[in-house]
Amino acid sequence: MDTTTPRAEARLTFRDATGDDAPALVDLVESAYRGDSSRAGWTTEADILQGQRTDEQGVRDVIDAPASRLLAVERDGELIACCQLEHRGAAAYFGMFAVRPGLQGGGLGKLIIAEAERAAKESWDVTEMHMTVISVRDDLIAWYERRGYRRTGQLTPFPYGDERFGIPQRDDLAFELLVKSI
């Protein structure tokens, strides 16, 4: 699906990612969340997690999974953002959301999440969006709450010891389920 959204001087293009996109998507996600490059944006997890956020196999698994889409967002042909959508019954799961750090804070995230919600509803006729956020990420959770998501208090333990998800720098991490009616 290609959708374009007018935006100041450029148009955003949303398309389903392919396996060929996996290396660039890994670089994008890593740059938005881990290491010093992530500090250029506000979504960094560098102070709470080190190591990788994802890898090529993880990205390919999302791309290839049935009832799953990984949206690649481009501006002027350059990959600038991505997000995962997965059909889960009456809900769609929203994950792997990343915006290039230098472009964060300019309104792109609002446009992308709105398009993801629209695409999930159109593709699967879902009535809710679900996501999980690390529970100590108060600023990020507040951003999602301003987009209409609500905290459920439902926590899932962080997978300590599984370095595919990073190397925790603190011992109080958990994922909290956020939900929005769409």
Side-chain angles (χ1 to χ4, degrees):
M1 165 192 82
D2 283 342
T3 304
T4 53
T5 303
R7 173 93 171 122
E9 73 286 355
R11 298 172 70 82
L12 298 180
T13 301
F14 296 81
R15 64 174 176 81
D16 288 323
T18 68
D20 290 342
D21 295 313
L25 289 164
V26 169
D27 289 345
L28 172 65
V29 171
E30 295 296 317
S31 75
Y33 290 97
R34 303 290 166 79
D36 287 336
S37 66
S38 69
R39 295 181 194 281
W42 68 273
T43 61
T44 184
E45 296 172 344
D47 293 330
I48 61 173
L49 290 161
Q50 294 181 354
Q52 72 177 27
R53 177 91 190 284
T54 192
D55 58 24
E56 280 192 40
Q57 188 57 54
V59 169
R60 288 178 195 281
D61 290 347
V62 171
I63 290 169
D64 295 338
S68 177
R69 302 172 69 184
L70 185 52
L71 296 181
V73 184
E74 296 174 332
R75 184 168 62 193
D76 298 328
E78 178 189 358
L79 179 68
I80 61 167
C82 67
C83 65
Q84 169 192 9
L85 296 172
E86 183 180 316
H87 187 203
R88 295 183 178 176
Y93 177 79
F94 177 81
M96 206 179 290
F97 186 29
V99 175
R100 191 162 307 287
L103 300 176
Q104 293 176 15
L108 283 172
K110 293 175 195 174
L111 293 172
I112 294 164
I113 199 167
E115 174 59 18
E117 291 165 358
R118 187 204 65 74
K121 188 158 187 64
E122 179 182 285
S123 295
W124 301 309
D125 196 30
V126 295
T127 57
E128 286 187 334
M129 289 286 279
H130 291 186
M131 71 173 72
T132 56
V133 178
I134 296 174
S135 60
V136 299
R137 298 289 319 275
D138 294 330
D139 55 344
L140 185 57
I141 291 171
W143 187 86
Y144 284 121
E145 287 177 319
R146 291 190 299 275
R147 312 276 95 60
Y149 287 80
R150 65 177 173 76
R151 298 182 86 156
T152 64
Q154 182 179 335
L155 300 178
T156 303
F158 187 86
Y160 285 90
D162 188 343
E163 291 188 10
R164 291 178 303 156
F165 297 96
I167 303 166
Q169 302 302 294
R170 45 194 291 178
D171 63 4
D172 62 345
L173 302 181
F175 294 108
E176 182 171 358
L177 176 66
L178 305 183
V179 176
K180 178 181 180 180
S181 293
I182 58 171

